[in-house]
Amino acid sequence: MRQRRIVLALLIPTLIPFIGVGACTRPAEPAGEVAKAGVTPAKEHEPKAETKAEVHTEVEVPSSPANTDPFPIQTEQFADVRILRYRVPGFEELPLQQKELVYYLYQAALSGRDIIYDQNHRHNLAVRRTLEALLRSDAVDKSDPQWAKLVDFTKRVWFSNGIHHHYSTKKFLPAFSAEYFAKVVTAVPAKMLPLADGETPEQLVAKLTPVLFDPQVDAKRVNLDAKADLIATSATNYYGPDVTQADVEQFYAKRVDNADPTPVSWGLNSQLVKTPSGLVERVWKVDGMYGESIREIVRWLEKAVPVAENDKQKTALERLIAYYRTGELAAFDDYSIAWVADTDSRVDVVNGFIEVYGDPLGYRGAYEAVVSIRDLEASKRIAAISNEAQWFEDHSPIPDIYKKPSVQGISAKVITVVVESGDAAPPTPIGINLPNANWIRTQHGSKSVNLGNIVHAHEASRTSSGVLEEFAASAEEIARSKSWGGLSDLLHTDMHEVIGHASGQLKHGVSGEALKNYASTLEEARADLVALYYIVDPKLVEIGVMKDLEVGREAYDDYIRNALLVQLARLELGDDLEEAHMRNRHMIAAWAFEHGKADRVIERLDREGKTYFVVRDYAKLRELFGRLLNEVQRIKSEGDFEAGRKLVEDYGVRVDRELHAQIKQRYTALGIAPYAGFIQPRLVPVLEGETITDVVIEYPDDFTEQMLEYAETYSFLPTYN
Ligand SMILES: [Zn+2]
């Protein structure tokens, strides 16, 4: 199965330059789990060609330190997660019609929230509603030391949309006792509890006790261990009781036609259950399963249609409504085709049953919604660089014969998220590459975007997490990073994508596959080196994307510090570097360190058992990056496998074991939770009678309050479906 969702970064320092579209789109995630991100470069919505004059005057560049921003990003940390917030720059400036559109799509997104709980496990809504009743009730003794543990557990359930860990999918157990649970549940007024007809609070407790406390019951949501029956051993609610893997395989073997060039996504929008007359799909649609939520989604989507920005967007929304009404899989494909065709709109939405990771057999889609607006600042910045792609190519230190006579900048797309729901929240992807149907991607294209404001929030959280203070060698370096780190990361990523991967050409007759298993590392190194070479170039000031070359110097500090120190924190002790981006960074930095030793370009400091790397000569470091870029381009252009192999093996694979242990220890001491998720902004319409005259955006800062508010406002499903 190809993974198209780019997973949220887990260890903060790994977020440093990584985003992008196309072949290098990369998730940042915990050591040992390498997911493949979608690799089809997006062809759609290239930023319109703008004249240079427009670009120069309109690109907004921070001229003062970025970290004077009073917006607190992280609000709390519990278990293994951090709760963060993000802002939505550009929302206030939207025309009223687009604000209204966003508001309806926001309501549609949240209206489906209950669905993901029920999809994840059949008891999740009962568990969640019981816990929420306890939190709301005054009848519970909150001075009991077990109360804090119950609150903590409730937050974990909200974070994971159920009782299984959002990432590992293993069930997590309460730290409070079953006796305490029984005591508090029976203490609250029965009318607050999610009781079935005739059910008593005691019976509810008896039903939920093994679900919550018995580690053997429904231990894993998605079991991928092929030694067992994947369906029977997975706790997901995508399949009814007693359905086996063989049942599912036979059911779809009869339906899937491998010769069909435009196959529907079988099983995407239904639960498969056993009935006396055989297996039946319970379809998720307006008058089907989850109909109570889907009717609300449709109600809001219908309001969105008349305020659509253009006909293409209107068509896409109408087709989405048709799909939710009929439940026809072909209608979903029609919608997806209309969605990829809608490339001009400022506002965009993903709403549906999309990713199939929650189904061990990969048929059924989790409900998710992401409402976004295009990031115009990023688009302008990228266009400013892209417009000069030929200048960058012409002035590159690579051999002239391997320069492209006519180079086209590759355009990365960046969106600004307004709200996420279902499977996309609170933990969020950082990039989206849809649709998933391969034939639609091939015939109609796809959209691949980075979630810019989400990435920014992570970056801001990184600078406040203590990692910088721990691994930077001086107060000056820390100050420079706090002033310019955000912008330097954005520019590095932009240049890596837009001019890095786009640069250079192969010698005639050389195959793109010549570098074999070293190809990705060397390709990422090439793109990074283009970015590093130019990020200290006055040309960037001239084209208006930065105001001060300090930005570039910060990028150098950061690159070396991350490559040789911080990124190693995510590697297990005793392991070598394997992932291509981690290898390429280490290769570049270790090569530059060694080749600049005589001139003290980068200095290693060991102070009180702590190691630091300090850039002493930025101009010489740039020369070194240029030299290495020249060599890496030559290796690629000539397909020199042996030289490529040696470069990667000598500088990009092995880590100093002693230094590695030291870094792990320093990182662990910071106590940073590995996972992060978000509190969503709140949209509030300003009404005159029935008419919306404005939509105000608010930024709540209490995770518990938001979860209780959502439960109150968007609880459309019955407890059991
Ligand atoms: Zn790349």
Side-chain angles (χ1 to χ4, degrees):
M1 193 193 319
R2 289 172 66 195
Q3 172 152 351
R4 295 215 173 73
R5 160 170 298 190
I6 303 152
V7 185
L8 183 63
L10 301 169
L11 276 177
I12 307 165
T14 63
L15 263 163
I16 305 161
F18 64 90
I19 52 167
V21 295
C24 84
T25 306
R26 187 182 74 81
E29 51 202 298
E33 311 240 11
V34 177
K36 302 265 186 305
V39 291
T40 310
K43 286 173 287 187
E44 280 72 28
H45 57 134
E46 305 278 326
K48 295 275 178 295
E50 294 175 73
T51 67
K52 281 181 209 166
E54 278 168 351
V55 169
H56 293 182
T57 51
E58 288 177 21
V59 174
E60 209 166 283
V61 181
S63 55
S64 60
N67 255 38
T68 50
D69 191 337
F71 187 85
I73 299 288
Q74 181 169 337
T75 63
E76 64 179 310
Q77 177 166 326
F78 51 84
D80 56 356
V81 307
R82 287 169 289 127
I83 298 294
L84 310 180
R85 305 193 305 157
Y86 62 92
R87 264 215 280 232
V88 189
F91 182 81
E92 273 97 349
E93 287 76 54
L94 291 176
L96 177 59
Q97 183 182 335
Q98 288 178 18
K99 282 186 182 173
E100 201 176 335
L101 173 64
V102 169
Y103 173 70
Y104 297 141
L105 297 174
Y106 159 95
Q107 291 290 4
L110 292 169
S111 295
R113 175 176 178 263
D114 274 356
I115 296 172
I116 188 68
Y117 280 86
D118 194 72
Q119 287 179 319
N120 283 343
H121 191 249
R122 68 194 183 286
H123 291 298
N124 271 342
L125 285 170
V127 169
R128 194 194 83 195
R129 287 170 182 170
T130 303
L131 293 168
E132 286 166 354
L134 299 176
L135 261 69
R136 284 207 187 91
S137 172
D138 299 328
V140 179
D141 173 13
K142 293 175 182 171
S143 63
D144 190 305
Q146 297 210 60
W147 174 249
K149 293 174 180 168
L150 187 139
V151 172
D152 205 70
F153 181 79
T154 307
K155 289 181 186 176
R156 297 191 72 185
V157 170
W158 285 326
F159 189 88
S160 293
N161 295 309
I163 59 175
H164 298 91
H165 191 275
H166 76 286
Y167 194 84
S168 75
T169 83
K170 288 180 190 149
K171 188 163 91 172
F172 45 83
L173 297 174
F176 54 90
S177 69
E179 292 70 32
Y180 179 72
F181 180 67
K183 189 178 108 182
V184 289
V185 173
T186 50
V188 305
K191 66 175 190 322
M192 294 180 74
L193 296 169
L195 299 172
D197 270 354
E199 193 176 37
T200 65
E202 289 74 14
Q203 286 166 332
L204 177 69
V205 168
K207 179 175 74 184
L208 294 184
T209 296
V211 173
L212 292 177
F213 295 93
D214 186 338
Q216 307 302 321
V217 172
D218 294 336
K220 198 149 190 218
R221 177 160 62 81
V222 188
N223 179 33
L224 295 173
D225 179 356
K227 291 195 289 288
D229 182 310
L230 298 184
I231 298 302
T233 55
S234 293
T236 169
N237 194 28
Y238 286 142
Y239 298 92
D242 307 324
V243 176
T244 66
Q245 183 174 349
D247 289 335
V248 182
E249 285 166 353
Q250 281 163 23
F251 186 83
Y252 289 108
K254 281 184 215 147
R255 285 160 178 79
V256 175
D257 172 7
N258 288 326
D260 184 351
T262 60
V264 296
S265 302
W266 288 103
L268 189 68
N269 67 339
S270 64
Q271 184 191 44
L272 189 67
V273 295
K274 239 176 202 169
T275 71
S277 50
L279 290 165
V280 171
E281 285 184 334
R282 299 180 65 213
V283 178
W284 306 328
K285 56 178 179 169
V286 160
D287 60 354
M289 189 175 179
Y290 302 144
E292 299 86 347
S293 276
I294 295 171
R295 283 194 286 278
E296 284 297 315
I297 296 172
V298 166
R299 186 167 78 84
W300 290 106
L301 291 177
E302 282 174 335
K303 287 176 188 281
V305 170
V307 288
E309 294 172 66
N310 51 57
D311 287 346
K312 283 183 178 172
Q313 187 178 52
K314 190 167 172 240
T315 302
L317 290 170
E318 284 169 346
R319 289 189 185 180
L320 180 58
I321 292 167
Y323 161 62
Y324 273 134
R325 287 196 180 286
T326 62
E328 295 288 341
L329 289 168
F332 181 64
D333 290 343
D334 289 345
Y335 156 68
S336 297
I337 291 165
W339 179 73
V340 292
D342 173 22
T343 54
D344 293 334
S345 302
R346 176 91 195 266
V347 177
D348 205 355
V349 62
V350 173
N351 186 313
F353 308 109
I354 309 290
E355 302 291 356
V356 296
Y357 313 121
D359 178 351
L361 295 180
Y363 288 104
R364 316 199 117 73
Y367 173 78
E368 78 166 61
V370 179
V371 181
S372 63
I373 53 178
R374 197 187 303 170
D375 182 339
L376 295 184
E377 287 309 319
S379 303
K380 284 175 196 159
R381 208 177 51 232
I382 286 162
I385 295 165
S386 185
N387 286 346
E388 295 290 340
Q390 195 63 53
W391 186 93
F392 288 113
E393 187 74 350
D394 294 345
H395 292 78
S396 172
I398 63 176
D400 282 342
I401 44 167
Y402 301 136
K403 287 179 182 171
K404 277 192 179 131
S406 171
V407 69
Q408 204 73 46
I410 297 171
S411 284
K413 315 291 188 297
V414 183
I415 59 168
T416 300
V417 172
V418 184
V419 72
E420 296 174 298
S421 172
D423 197 34
T428 164
I430 53 170
I432 293 174
N433 188 343
L434 291 170
N436 281 333
N438 276 318
W439 68 269
I440 299 180
R441 300 174 70 81
T442 311
Q443 294 178 25
H444 302 274
S446 59
K447 290 185 192 174
S448 175
V449 294
N450 294 321
L451 280 49
N453 56 337
I454 297 284
V455 171
H456 174 81
H458 272 277
E459 174 58 27
S461 145
R462 180 180 78 92
T463 43
S464 61
S465 64
V467 173
L468 177 64
E469 284 79 359
E470 177 60 39
F471 291 97
S474 65
E476 183 198 348
E477 196 179 317
I478 293 168
R480 195 184 294 129
S481 176
K482 290 197 166 174
S483 298
W484 306 113
L487 180 61
S488 85
D489 273 358
L490 292 171
L491 284 173
H492 178 101
T493 304
D494 294 343
M495 288 196 287
H496 172 111
E497 297 298 338
V498 178
I499 55 172
H501 284 303
S503 163
Q505 60 183 354
L506 298 182
K507 188 173 170 180
H508 186 70
V510 170
S511 149
E513 270 99 69
L515 302 175
K516 297 177 200 163
N517 52 318
Y518 298 105
S520 327
T521 298
L522 290 163
E523 175 58 14
E524 293 312 323
R526 207 175 61 86
D528 261 1
L529 285 162
V530 170
L532 289 166
Y533 184 76
Y534 282 119
I535 205 160
V536 291
D537 199 304
K539 180 78 177 174
L540 297 186
V541 178
E542 189 193 307
I543 65 172
V545 297
M546 65 160 74
K547 285 191 174 143
D548 194 318
L549 291 177
E550 278 288 277
V551 176
R553 291 180 204 115
E554 194 285 328
Y556 280 18
D557 295 345
D558 186 76
Y559 197 87
I560 299 298
R561 184 173 64 240
N562 182 45
L564 296 178
L565 299 170
V566 182
Q567 71 162 352
L568 303 183
R570 66 190 289 225
L571 197 68
E572 293 304 317
L573 284 176
D575 284 358
D576 285 335
L577 292 164
E578 277 186 36
E579 198 276 327
H581 293 75
M582 292 180 76
R583 278 188 166 187
N584 103 66
R585 286 187 209 119
H586 197 273
M587 180 187 96
I588 290 171
W591 186 94
F593 175 64
E594 190 177 302
H595 288 77
K597 241 178 190 166
D599 293 334
R600 279 182 76 236
V601 176
I602 302 168
E603 196 178 357
R604 174 175 167 150
L605 300 177
D606 288 283
R607 284 192 315 233
E608 297 161 17
K610 291 182 176 183
T611 301
Y612 306 88
F613 288 90
V614 191
V615 180
R616 296 290 186 204
D617 190 332
Y618 294 93
K620 284 210 172 109
L621 183 53
R622 186 190 189 198
E623 277 175 40
L624 287 169
F625 287 148
R627 251 174 71 195
L628 185 58
L629 173 57
N630 179 293
E631 173 61 3
V632 171
Q633 182 63 53
R634 186 200 65 75
I635 288 170
K636 182 180 176 183
S637 293
E638 297 176 3
D640 187 344
F641 175 81
E642 185 45 35
R645 185 200 64 79
K646 195 163 167 10
L647 197 54
V648 177
E649 291 290 343
D650 285 355
Y651 298 100
V653 178
R654 281 178 308 280
V655 295
D656 175 338
R657 301 283 176 227
E658 209 175 306
L659 178 59
H660 187 197
Q662 180 211 114
I663 291 163
K664 294 281 275 188
Q665 195 184 20
R666 287 161 73 185
Y667 194 88
T668 308
L670 296 173
I672 302 166
Y675 302 100
F678 286 88
I679 297 174
Q680 306 299 322
R682 186 200 290 120
L683 298 187
V684 183
V686 179
L687 294 165
E688 264 173 36
E690 298 281 285
T691 312
I692 293 182
T693 56
D694 196 9
V695 179
V696 176
I697 189 159
E698 298 175 351
Y699 298 103
D701 59 6
D702 189 311
F703 181 61
T704 297
E705 275 177 25
Q706 175 156 85
M707 293 296 103
L708 289 174
E709 181 187 319
Y710 281 0
E712 194 75 31
T713 317
Y714 302 104
S715 255
F716 298 115
L717 291 187
T719 301
Y720 289 91
N721 290 275

